[in-house]
Amino acid sequence: MKKQKKNKSISISNKFFSDLFDQLFPLNRSIIGDGYNKSLKILNQFVGFKLHKFPSGKKVFDWIVPKEWVIRDAYIKTPNNKKICNFKKNNLHVMNYSQRLNKIFKLKDLKLILNSSKKVPTSIPYTTSYYKNNLGFNISHNQKKKLKPGYYKAVIDSNFKKGNLVVGEKTLKGKTNKDFIISSYLCHPSMANNELSGPLVLLGLFEKIKSWPNRKFNYKFIINPETIGSICYLHKNRRNIKKKLAGGLILACLGGPNKSLSFKKSRKDNSEINKFFEYFNELKLCSLRKYTPLTGSDERQYCSPGFNLPVGQISRTIYKEYKEYHSSLDNKNFMDINNIRLSINNIIYFLYIFDTLSGKIVRKNKYSELFLEKYNLYKNKSSNKLTKAIIYLLGHSDCSTRIIDIITRYKLDFQNTSKAIEILKRKKLIKIAL
Amino acid sequence: MKKQKKNKSISISNKFFSDLFDQLFPLNRSIIGDGYNKSLKILNQFVGFKLHKFPSGKKVFDWIVPKEWVIRDAYIKTPNNKKICNFKKNNLHVMNYSQRLNKIFKLKDLKLILNSSKKVPTSIPYTTSYYKNNLGFNISHNQKKKLKPGYYKAVIDSNFKKGNLVVGEKTLKGKTNKDFIISSYLCHPSMANNELSGPLVLLGLFEKIKSWPNRKFNYKFIINPETIGSICYLHKNRRNIKKKLAGGLILACLGGPNKSLSFKKSRKDNSEINKFFEYFNELKLCSLRKYTPLTGSDERQYCSPGFNLPVGQISRTIYKEYKEYHSSLDNKNFMDINNIRLSINNIIYFLYIFDTLSGKIVRKNKYSELFLEKYNLYKNKSSNKLTKAIIYLLGHSDCSTRIIDIITRYKLDFQNTSKAIEILKRKKLIKIAL
Amino acid sequence: MKKQKKNKSISISNKFFSDLFDQLFPLNRSIIGDGYNKSLKILNQFVGFKLHKFPSGKKVFDWIVPKEWVIRDAYIKTPNNKKICNFKKNNLHVMNYSQRLNKIFKLKDLKLILNSSKKVPTSIPYTTSYYKNNLGFNISHNQKKKLKPGYYKAVIDSNFKKGNLVVGEKTLKGKTNKDFIISSYLCHPSMANNELSGPLVLLGLFEKIKSWPNRKFNYKFIINPETIGSICYLHKNRRNIKKKLAGGLILACLGGPNKSLSFKKSRKDNSEINKFFEYFNELKLCSLRKYTPLTGSDERQYCSPGFNLPVGQISRTIYKEYKEYHSSLDNKNFMDINNIRLSINNIIYFLYIFDTLSGKIVRKNKYSELFLEKYNLYKNKSSNKLTKAIIYLLGHSDCSTRIIDIITRYKLDFQNTSKAIEILKRKKLIKIAL
């Protein structure tokens, strides 16, 4: 008999997220390997993910799971024997998935394997080469400029071995057989907004949704390495995911300073999740981005032609739109830990509304108005918002109309709409079809 | 062998409607009972309705036909023995469907059963309580204020018994098997715009349509008590109404002072009747209201989810938008009898256009242009409006296009369009599909 | 064994078109007969049309192929014995399809058979009466005014006989089984913009498309008398044309002075050819006209209800919009021969884009993003237009999306889009469905 370990508890507080952040930040994450596994293990204390393993070499659609990258050390010795680009001090100094190297370079030749950013000269850039043999060091532009001519020794003590790509998945069961995916990625090394913000927000959402007694959907919380990880997950679930998925959110870059959240719409134009966020946008609760396959996160896989799932992406300070992006400056200073809590609270509101108000109303007796007096529901029709909501919902409850369509048509408020639906369900006058 | 009684004749004149109004106005109508039956009998002299009876207690969808309310007298005796709120002087003084009462009240307690309107202090409000045990008197705010302390005797001599809800229906047969409904209600006691205007206009439309030799539709003229009456009618016809109904108009509040008619669209967004009235609106022949299930008349039943019929509502001075609404001030002074004739003439024009121009054109020979010279139809193509209409209609006559779509696309005038269709039908080049 | 005659070669030069124009201009074309046949024979030296013959009396849909009109001479002798309205000097002087005549008229009576244009008093108008017995002369308004009273002898030496309406059709085979029609008419006598411009442009397009090695469509070049000719062609092909036709262009009035081409949309609202020209219009490469069955050329037959084919019409200086239209002033002076070449170059660009970029992309592996590194296609995603085009196309490649929809959505340039499709096809990652 298996003994179930009890999860550590999550607290939606700055201290909790700040401590967790500090534990996770220094780890040398990549798409496969120790840094990723350790990070996932830390998160897993609070969640209890089921771990799906995909071995190196496994074919997943057009892709092949790569080997694991093992890195022990990397540095450059200057002519006067000083260690620079020291991996042990900052894991961003070495290109992720760099080949092994041990070689003396003249400065001119060394520069060919040094990446830096002229635009943000104090930052160490983040570079990767998962799928092509390559190597390199990343260095701040200011430091690079100061390097003196002479002989440099560059060492990268790395190798590649068969390993396992790991996807963590945790389901909180709901009352229907429909799923809702909340997914984030965990493959960037020491970065904050564009890495740790996603998993931290995911923990917060998990904690909150766990406490919803009547959740409609099976919430699937997913942690994976970006792109290849969601491809693995989709490959595993390719047969059933389409008919079971009501919606999904990819969490990305949720810790930055922007005031409002921004939703990148799913590719499927009239998906219900798009309609909800269009209405949130109308209410000025978030901004909107059109779908594009060019940039973004795992929604690009969920929305690919074969799947076309109703999965969008939610972000605060968006990748590529801030100068600290993909560099050592994307750190705890840039990413206010307070915004993690703010993002959790904003998103949980959206999710709660979606959970409560998605679907279509099916009246048991679909002919004529209902005799509302009989159910004690006909009070102050012209002033009572609840009575109005009841009448609007019953008056448009046919197969072609979703609740969100009625809300949008009459600018109904969520509270009275939810209450109206609750009452009508309790009185067995309607049920909800998804 | 039944002998058919000949109907009295209807004259579209102010005198006719004024006399009829004066006969009908004082009757104490309600949803069931003597006042309703007498009123229907008066109308019936001119029409010859078929009467459908629905006994008290009959289940119709979610509703039950209520008992009949019998009222003989109602009044209040003041401390100095004066009769006020005398039902025999104005039937609005007693709440419709009031329970029996015979009791002495102190003024303070009496006021709990007195309804009045502060906003319109000279009016006696109209109140009802068909489906909940209740009682009350209605009084002008001015009179209420003057009541002196003391003991008041309040008498309502009413009772409830099994009765029959009655729906009157008269069909004028047309050339196709499609129906068009023209319906109004007859359940309000002594009120003008929001009661008698509808049935009076209905009589006028009946008279006019009777004289159309080639009417396309079976016109069904319906008189019923509002809401419960149309629910009864729909219940009776629930199996066939959907496939046979081309359109319908609920007549409501057609006698008030507003300059132009207003059409409340059917809930069915692209219904043909909506398209016609959208074009009438474009031509500034009427204004438009969006569908709502919250307020309105019997169209709420026809447009309910199980039916979703192409039935709109036409009104002039709209319920709730005038201060005399639902009160003793909604009388012949407020409602100019002249507007009854105006409404008849306006609506009959709309109906005639709809009768003539609804449907799709099906060409016998659908390939290429027709050889119009052969039919002597190709005259002055660039200046002759009739030739143009012929060419536009023939050029777009496929299953996905209704005549109204072609009219709207090219801003065709109704006269030449009708003439064009008439000619093309006569020459056996087209037929009309509904 | 048949010996194939070699066609004369076409040169896209002013001299070539100018010489050809001069040969064709004086011929007395009509819908059937010598003038038409000689004109077609001249064009045929360069193309090798297959000739379809439709005998007088043949029923084609609602029409009957008329008899051939034979005209030998026509003139009027003035009182002082001068020949005016001399058909041998200008074939526009006699109404096309005039009956035989030999009669003395007083001036007053003569004027009843003289057509002239007050608005353009120096022009000889062009008139026809193919389908109704009629006769007449056309004369400039200025000349008509000067005619003195007296006796005039009017002679029309014409007769009617059984003949053949001839449609020329030449197919250049493509790589798919889908057709594209390029059609013009050849039935107007000595006129330039509204006659010879179309066939001359057609020759140029034929020459250019012949040289496309990978053309997608079977290009069908069609010359016919306007209206009755395309009706004959459609009648012959009525069974198969709908499922095989990807698009078509009617060439009309392509030689006039207007700066830009104008596309008259096909009646079928969302046809692919409409979408392309809507985008060309967005790029300011052409202007757009809505479909109308009232005016235009053979697109009215192709778009008639039974066919509703994706065939539009392209024009430069549009019929009825210039004062020289349908008169002797529509000549080589009005129609700059240089514009023939310009029209060819403009239209061939549109056709090339349509040939290259019509259809939908079907991915072999439709799930997830493709692993572009594997195909060496993932270079500088954020700056490289080709890589971007590849990603956009793959990201939206499902059955409901045409390539033109993706182009329009992302404002892609044609060059990189074509190159992207070429590469993806070569690497066997996609195929194109039409």
Side-chain angles (χ1 to χ4, degrees):
Chain A
M1 238 176 95
K2 263 194 182 168
K3 205 172 124 191
Q4 208 169 349
K5 246 205 318 216
K6 204 167 171 270
N7 297 327
K8 284 199 195 173
S9 68
I10 296 164
S11 138
I12 315 287
S13 67
N14 281 7
K15 183 168 183 335
F16 175 81
F17 289 117
S18 182
D19 291 353
L20 201 55
F21 182 95
D22 295 341
Q23 256 186 288
L24 289 162
F25 190 75
L27 298 175
N28 181 45
R29 279 168 295 277
S30 183
I31 52 176
I32 302 183
D34 262 10
Y36 179 89
N37 293 341
K38 278 180 194 159
S39 303
L40 187 54
K41 203 170 174 186
I42 290 170
L43 298 173
N44 210 5
Q45 308 169 84
F46 304 98
V47 178
F49 288 113
K50 188 170 171 183
L51 303 182
H52 305 292
K53 296 188 177 176
F54 302 85
S56 302
K58 180 177 172 62
K59 191 159 164 41
V60 281
F61 300 128
D62 201 35
W63 300 63
I64 286 167
V65 177
K67 287 192 172 167
E68 176 179 335
W69 178 53
V70 184
I71 172 108
R72 282 165 294 270
D73 202 359
Y75 58 82
I76 295 169
K77 273 215 177 126
T78 62
N80 53 358
N81 223 19
K82 224 183 103 188
K83 265 194 186 175
I84 60 166
C85 290
N86 188 344
F87 168 74
K88 291 191 171 160
K89 290 205 175 154
N90 189 332
N91 54 35
L92 290 176
H93 274 309
V94 66
M95 175 184 282
N96 215 305
Y97 268 68
S98 265
Q99 302 290 309
R100 189 170 185 80
L101 175 74
N102 191 332
K103 196 174 160 186
I104 309 288
F105 289 87
K106 280 197 278 191
L107 178 58
K108 206 188 78 186
D109 298 329
L110 180 73
K111 282 187 170 172
L112 298 173
I113 57 164
L114 294 185
N115 305 297
S116 67
S117 163
K118 222 171 185 168
K119 276 194 193 160
V120 194
T122 61
S123 73
I124 306 163
Y126 163 57
T127 62
T128 68
S129 185
Y130 304 137
Y131 302 105
K132 205 158 64 177
N133 289 352
N134 202 350
L135 58 79
F137 286 89
N138 303 315
I139 185 169
S140 78
H141 191 68
N142 287 345
Q143 189 175 12
K144 194 172 82 174
K145 277 194 304 184
K146 286 181 200 150
L147 296 179
K148 301 269 157 57
Y151 288 89
Y152 288 78
K153 183 182 182 190
V155 173
I156 301 176
D157 180 12
S158 70
N159 68 287
F160 296 87
K161 65 171 195 186
K162 292 212 164 192
N164 282 299
L165 183 151
V166 182
V167 175
E169 181 187 29
K170 169 70 181 180
T171 303
L172 292 174
K173 290 248 171 171
K175 300 208 150 182
T176 69
N177 63 351
K178 290 280 179 174
D179 299 336
F180 192 97
I181 278 175
I182 296 171
S183 174
S184 198
Y185 50 85
L186 191 66
C187 49
H188 299 69
S190 300
M191 280 172 290
N193 181 46
N194 186 27
E195 179 42 76
L196 294 176
S197 73
L200 294 182
V201 167
L202 184 140
L203 282 198
L205 298 175
F206 173 74
E207 180 63 18
K208 298 250 184 188
I209 291 172
K210 216 169 50 177
S211 73
W212 291 355
N214 294 309
R215 55 188 173 251
K216 193 184 273 171
F217 302 117
N218 304 310
Y219 285 89
K220 295 184 169 279
F221 295 84
I222 298 164
I223 294 283
N224 54 234
E226 209 174 7
T227 302
I228 183 70
S230 56
I231 291 171
C232 285
Y233 180 79
L234 280 163
H235 188 263
K236 187 179 167 64
N237 293 286
R238 66 194 177 280
R239 300 210 206 290
N240 296 315
I241 196 165
K242 197 152 187 171
K243 63 171 164 286
K244 293 190 67 187
L245 200 69
L249 275 188
I250 306 299
L251 310 175
C253 297
L254 286 161
N258 277 26
K259 280 273 186 297
S260 82
L261 291 175
S262 160
F263 179 72
K264 176 181 169 182
K265 295 204 269 183
S266 74
R267 190 166 69 88
K268 204 176 171 159
D269 255 346
N270 279 313
S271 67
E272 196 170 13
I273 197 160
N274 282 8
K275 288 183 179 187
F276 270 88
F277 277 91
E278 281 158 11
Y279 193 56
F280 295 146
N281 175 251
E282 210 180 306
L283 297 176
K284 300 195 189 304
L285 299 176
C286 74
S287 60
L288 281 183
R289 285 168 286 152
K290 278 175 62 173
Y291 181 79
T292 168
L294 191 66
T295 56
S297 182
D298 291 316
E299 74 283 355
R300 284 152 36 204
Q301 313 311 324
Y302 286 92
C303 295
S304 66
F307 290 112
N308 203 18
L309 296 166
V311 174
Q313 180 228 82
I314 192 131
S315 188
R316 181 177 293 277
T317 295
I318 301 162
Y319 41 86
K320 302 196 174 181
E321 297 186 2
Y322 61 102
K323 72 177 198 314
E324 296 83 356
Y325 171 72
H326 268 194
S327 86
S328 58
L329 298 182
D330 184 353
N331 55 28
K332 209 179 177 183
N333 289 334
F334 171 71
M335 187 202 90
D336 188 349
I337 210 81
N338 207 40
N339 285 337
I340 298 299
R341 282 174 50 222
L342 192 60
S343 290
I344 292 166
N345 289 333
N346 292 163
I347 297 171
I348 205 71
Y349 178 76
F350 297 150
L351 290 175
Y352 184 75
I353 299 296
F354 189 80
D355 191 279
T356 318
L357 296 175
S358 55
K360 298 166 189 173
I361 293 177
V362 181
R363 276 170 55 174
K364 280 235 176 109
N365 188 341
K366 63 184 179 163
Y367 294 103
S368 86
E369 291 183 309
L370 294 189
F371 180 29
L372 293 181
E373 280 90 346
K374 188 164 81 183
Y375 312 106
N376 199 20
L377 293 176
Y378 193 68
K379 299 170 202 154
N380 306 314
K381 188 176 83 152
S382 52
S383 64
N384 187 304
K385 283 188 175 179
L386 177 61
T387 307
K388 280 187 185 181
I390 287 171
I391 292 171
Y392 287 134
L393 291 168
L394 291 174
H396 288 273
S397 54
D398 45 24
C399 338
S400 62
T401 316
R402 300 202 151 264
I403 297 170
I404 185 64
D405 298 326
I406 307 174
I407 290 174
T408 305
R409 176 171 184 150
Y410 294 105
K411 312 292 172 219
L412 300 184
D413 67 285
F414 296 130
Q415 206 186 334
N416 280 295
T417 310
S418 306
K419 210 168 151 189
I421 289 171
E422 207 37 62
I423 291 169
L424 293 170
K425 271 162 65 183
R426 202 180 337 118
K427 302 210 179 230
K428 302 204 183 306
L429 296 173
I430 62 165
K431 33 182 205 173
I432 304 298
L434 294 177
Chain B
M1 241 175 96
K2 261 193 183 171
K3 205 171 126 190
Q4 209 169 347
K5 246 205 320 213
K6 206 170 169 261
N7 297 327
K8 284 200 195 171
S9 68
I10 296 164
S11 138
I12 315 287
S13 67
N14 281 7
K15 182 168 185 336
F16 175 81
F17 290 116
S18 181
D19 290 353
L20 201 54
F21 181 96
D22 295 341
Q23 255 187 289
L24 288 162
F25 190 75
L27 298 176
N28 181 45
R29 278 169 294 277
S30 183
I31 52 176
I32 302 181
D34 262 11
Y36 179 89
N37 294 340
K38 278 180 193 157
S39 303
L40 187 54
K41 201 170 176 186
I42 290 170
L43 298 171
N44 210 6
Q45 307 170 84
F46 305 98
V47 178
F49 289 113
K50 188 170 170 183
L51 304 182
H52 305 291
K53 296 188 179 176
F54 303 85
S56 301
K58 181 177 172 62
K59 192 162 164 40
V60 281
F61 301 127
D62 201 35
W63 300 62
I64 286 168
V65 177
K67 287 193 172 166
E68 177 179 334
W69 178 55
V70 184
I71 172 113
R72 283 165 294 270
D73 202 358
Y75 55 84
I76 295 170
K77 271 211 179 128
T78 63
N80 53 357
N81 224 19
K82 222 184 104 189
K83 265 193 185 175
I84 61 166
C85 290
N86 189 345
F87 167 75
K88 291 191 172 161
K89 290 205 174 153
N90 190 332
N91 54 35
L92 289 176
H93 275 309
V94 66
M95 175 185 285
N96 214 305
Y97 267 67
S98 266
Q99 303 290 310
R100 187 171 187 80
L101 176 74
N102 192 331
K103 198 174 158 186
I104 309 289
F105 289 88
K106 278 195 280 190
L107 178 59
K108 207 187 78 188
D109 299 329
L110 179 74
K111 281 188 171 172
L112 297 174
I113 58 164
L114 294 185
N115 306 295
S116 66
S117 163
K118 221 171 186 167
K119 276 195 191 157
V120 195
T122 62
S123 73
I124 305 162
Y126 163 58
T127 62
T128 69
S129 186
Y130 303 137
Y131 301 105
K132 208 159 61 179
N133 289 352
N134 202 350
L135 58 79
F137 286 88
N138 305 314
I139 185 169
S140 76
H141 190 70
N142 287 345
Q143 188 173 14
K144 193 173 82 176
K145 276 193 306 183
K146 287 181 201 152
L147 296 180
K148 300 268 156 59
Y151 289 88
Y152 289 78
K153 183 183 183 190
V155 173
I156 302 176
D157 180 13
S158 69
N159 66 288
F160 295 87
K161 65 170 194 186
K162 291 212 165 192
N164 283 298
L165 183 151
V166 182
V167 176
E169 182 186 28
K170 169 71 183 180
T171 302
L172 293 174
K173 291 249 171 169
K175 301 209 150 182
T176 69
N177 63 351
K178 291 278 179 177
D179 298 337
F180 192 97
I181 278 175
I182 296 170
S183 173
S184 197
Y185 50 86
L186 191 65
C187 49
H188 298 70
S190 300
M191 280 173 288
N193 181 45
N194 185 29
E195 178 42 77
L196 293 177
S197 72
L200 294 183
V201 167
L202 185 139
L203 283 197
L205 297 175
F206 172 75
E207 180 63 19
K208 297 250 184 188
I209 291 173
K210 216 169 50 177
S211 74
W212 292 354
N214 295 309
R215 55 187 174 251
K216 193 185 272 172
F217 302 117
N218 304 309
Y219 285 88
K220 293 183 169 282
F221 296 83
I222 299 164
I223 295 283
N224 53 234
E226 209 174 7
T227 304
I228 183 69
S230 56
I231 291 172
C232 286
Y233 180 80
L234 280 162
H235 187 264
K236 188 180 165 65
N237 293 286
R238 65 193 178 279
R239 301 210 206 290
N240 297 314
I241 196 166
K242 197 153 186 171
K243 62 170 168 287
K244 292 190 68 189
L245 200 69
L249 275 188
I250 306 299
L251 310 175
C253 297
L254 286 159
N258 277 25
K259 280 273 186 298
S260 81
L261 291 176
S262 160
F263 179 72
K264 175 181 170 183
K265 295 204 269 183
S266 74
R267 192 167 67 88
K268 202 175 175 162
D269 254 347
N270 280 312
S271 67
E272 196 169 13
I273 197 160
N274 282 7
K275 287 184 178 186
F276 270 88
F277 277 91
E278 282 157 11
Y279 193 56
F280 295 146
N281 174 251
E282 210 180 306
L283 298 176
K284 302 193 188 306
L285 299 176
C286 73
S287 60
L288 282 183
R289 284 167 287 152
K290 278 174 62 173
Y291 181 78
T292 169
L294 191 66
T295 55
S297 182
D298 290 316
E299 74 284 355
R300 283 152 37 203
Q301 313 311 324
Y302 287 91
C303 296
S304 66
F307 290 113
N308 203 17
L309 296 167
V311 173
Q313 178 229 83
I314 193 130
S315 189
R316 180 177 294 279
T317 294
I318 301 162
Y319 42 86
K320 301 196 176 184
E321 298 186 2
Y322 61 103
K323 72 176 199 315
E324 295 83 356
Y325 171 71
H326 268 194
S327 86
S328 57
L329 299 182
D330 184 354
N331 55 28
K332 210 178 178 183
N333 288 335
F334 171 71
M335 189 202 89
D336 188 348
I337 210 81
N338 206 40
N339 285 338
I340 298 298
R341 282 175 50 223
L342 192 60
S343 290
I344 292 166
N345 289 333
N346 292 163
I347 297 171
I348 206 71
Y349 178 75
F350 297 150
L351 291 174
Y352 184 75
I353 299 296
F354 188 79
D355 191 279
T356 319
L357 296 175
S358 54
K360 298 168 189 171
I361 293 177
V362 180
R363 276 171 54 175
K364 280 236 177 108
N365 188 341
K366 63 185 180 163
Y367 294 103
S368 87
E369 291 183 309
L370 294 189
F371 181 29
L372 294 180
E373 281 90 345
K374 189 163 79 183
Y375 311 106
N376 201 21
L377 293 177
Y378 193 69
K379 298 171 202 153
N380 307 315
K381 186 176 83 149
S382 50
S383 64
N384 186 304
K385 283 187 176 181
L386 177 61
T387 308
K388 280 187 186 181
I390 288 171
I391 292 171
Y392 287 133
L393 292 168
L394 291 174
H396 288 274
S397 54
D398 44 26
C399 338
S400 61
T401 315
R402 300 200 152 265
I403 297 169
I404 184 64
D405 298 325
I406 307 173
I407 289 174
T408 305
R409 176 172 183 147
Y410 294 106
K411 313 290 172 220
L412 300 184
D413 67 284
F414 297 130
Q415 205 188 334
N416 281 296
T417 310
S418 306
K419 210 169 152 189
I421 288 171
E422 207 35 62
I423 291 170
L424 293 170
K425 271 162 65 183
R426 203 184 332 120
K427 302 211 177 229
K428 302 201 184 309
L429 296 173
I430 62 167
K431 33 183 204 173
I432 303 299
L434 293 178
Chain C
M1 238 175 99
K2 261 195 183 169
K3 207 172 125 191
Q4 206 169 350
K5 247 210 314 222
K6 207 171 167 264
N7 297 328
K8 284 200 196 173
S9 67
I10 296 163
S11 139
I12 314 289
S13 67
N14 282 7
K15 182 168 185 334
F16 175 82
F17 289 117
S18 181
D19 290 355
L20 200 55
F21 181 96
D22 294 342
Q23 256 187 288
L24 290 163
F25 190 75
L27 298 176
N28 181 44
R29 279 169 293 278
S30 184
I31 52 176
I32 303 181
D34 262 10
Y36 179 89
N37 293 341
K38 278 180 193 159
S39 303
L40 187 55
K41 202 170 175 186
I42 291 170
L43 298 172
N44 210 7
Q45 307 169 85
F46 305 97
V47 177
F49 289 112
K50 188 169 170 184
L51 303 182
H52 305 291
K53 295 187 178 177
F54 302 85
S56 302
K58 181 178 172 61
K59 192 163 163 41
V60 281
F61 302 127
D62 201 36
W63 300 64
I64 286 167
V65 177
K67 289 194 171 168
E68 178 179 334
W69 178 54
V70 184
I71 172 112
R72 283 165 295 269
D73 202 359
Y75 57 84
I76 295 170
K77 272 213 178 128
T78 63
N80 53 358
N81 224 18
K82 225 183 101 187
K83 265 193 186 176
I84 59 166
C85 290
N86 189 345
F87 167 74
K88 291 191 171 160
K89 290 207 174 152
N90 190 331
N91 54 36
L92 290 176
H93 275 307
V94 67
M95 176 185 282
N96 215 306
Y97 267 66
S98 265
Q99 303 290 310
R100 190 171 185 78
L101 177 74
N102 192 332
K103 195 173 160 187
I104 308 289
F105 290 88
K106 280 197 278 191
L107 178 58
K108 206 187 79 187
D109 299 328
L110 180 72
K111 281 186 171 173
L112 298 173
I113 58 165
L114 294 184
N115 305 297
S116 66
S117 163
K118 220 170 185 168
K119 275 195 193 158
V120 194
T122 61
S123 74
I124 306 163
Y126 164 58
T127 62
T128 69
S129 186
Y130 304 137
Y131 301 104
K132 206 160 62 178
N133 288 352
N134 201 349
L135 59 78
F137 286 89
N138 304 315
I139 185 168
S140 77
H141 190 70
N142 287 345
Q143 189 174 14
K144 193 173 83 174
K145 277 193 305 185
K146 288 181 199 148
L147 295 180
K148 300 270 160 53
Y151 289 89
Y152 289 79
K153 182 182 183 192
V155 174
I156 301 176
D157 181 11
S158 70
N159 66 289
F160 296 87
K161 65 172 194 187
K162 292 210 165 192
N164 282 299
L165 182 153
V166 181
V167 175
E169 181 187 29
K170 169 70 182 181
T171 303
L172 293 174
K173 291 248 171 173
K175 300 209 150 182
T176 69
N177 63 350
K178 290 279 179 177
D179 299 337
F180 192 97
I181 278 175
I182 296 170
S183 173
S184 197
Y185 50 85
L186 190 66
C187 48
H188 298 69
S190 300
M191 280 172 289
N193 180 46
N194 185 28
E195 178 43 76
L196 293 176
S197 72
L200 294 182
V201 167
L202 185 140
L203 282 197
L205 298 175
F206 173 75
E207 179 62 19
K208 297 249 183 189
I209 291 172
K210 216 170 50 177
S211 73
W212 291 354
N214 294 310
R215 56 188 173 250
K216 192 184 272 171
F217 302 117
N218 304 309
Y219 284 89
K220 294 183 170 281
F221 295 84
I222 298 164
I223 295 283
N224 54 234
E226 209 174 8
T227 303
I228 183 70
S230 56
I231 291 171
C232 286
Y233 180 79
L234 280 163
H235 187 263
K236 186 179 166 67
N237 294 285
R238 65 194 178 280
R239 300 209 207 289
N240 297 314
I241 196 165
K242 197 152 185 170
K243 62 170 167 286
K244 292 190 68 189
L245 200 68
L249 275 188
I250 305 299
L251 310 175
C253 298
L254 287 160
N258 277 26
K259 280 272 185 297
S260 81
L261 291 175
S262 160
F263 179 72
K264 176 182 169 182
K265 295 204 270 183
S266 74
R267 191 166 67 89
K268 203 176 172 160
D269 255 346
N270 279 311
S271 68
E272 196 169 13
I273 197 159
N274 282 9
K275 288 183 178 189
F276 270 88
F277 277 91
E278 281 158 11
Y279 193 56
F280 294 146
N281 174 252
E282 209 180 307
L283 297 176
K284 300 192 189 305
L285 299 176
C286 73
S287 59
L288 282 184
R289 284 167 287 153
K290 277 173 63 172
Y291 180 78
T292 169
L294 190 66
T295 56
S297 181
D298 290 316
E299 76 284 354
R300 283 153 35 203
Q301 313 311 323
Y302 286 92
C303 296
S304 65
F307 290 113
N308 203 16
L309 296 167
V311 173
Q313 178 229 83
I314 192 134
S315 188
R316 181 177 294 279
T317 295
I318 302 162
Y319 41 87
K320 302 197 175 180
E321 298 186 1
Y322 61 103
K323 73 175 198 313
E324 296 83 356
Y325 172 71
H326 269 195
S327 86
S328 57
L329 298 182
D330 183 354
N331 56 28
K332 209 179 178 183
N333 288 335
F334 172 71
M335 187 202 90
D336 187 348
I337 209 82
N338 206 40
N339 285 338
I340 298 297
R341 281 174 51 222
L342 192 60
S343 290
I344 292 166
N345 289 332
N346 292 162
I347 297 171
I348 206 71
Y349 178 76
F350 297 149
L351 291 174
Y352 184 75
I353 299 297
F354 189 80
D355 192 279
T356 319
L357 296 175
S358 55
K360 298 168 188 171
I361 293 177
V362 180
R363 275 170 56 174
K364 280 236 175 110
N365 188 341
K366 63 185 178 162
Y367 294 103
S368 86
E369 291 184 307
L370 294 189
F371 181 29
L372 294 181
E373 282 89 344
K374 189 163 81 182
Y375 311 106
N376 201 21
L377 292 177
Y378 194 69
K379 299 171 201 153
N380 306 317
K381 187 176 83 150
S382 52
S383 64
N384 187 305
K385 284 187 174 180
L386 179 60
T387 308
K388 280 187 187 181
I390 287 171
I391 292 171
Y392 286 132
L393 291 168
L394 290 174
H396 289 273
S397 54
D398 44 26
C399 338
S400 62
T401 316
R402 300 202 152 263
I403 296 169
I404 185 64
D405 297 325
I406 308 173
I407 289 174
T408 305
R409 175 172 183 147
Y410 294 105
K411 313 291 171 217
L412 300 184
D413 67 285
F414 297 129
Q415 206 186 334
N416 280 295
T417 310
S418 307
K419 210 168 151 189
I421 289 171
E422 207 35 64
I423 290 169
L424 293 170
K425 271 163 64 184
R426 204 184 330 121
K427 301 215 178 226
K428 302 200 183 310
L429 296 173
I430 62 166
K431 33 183 205 173
I432 303 299
L434 293 178

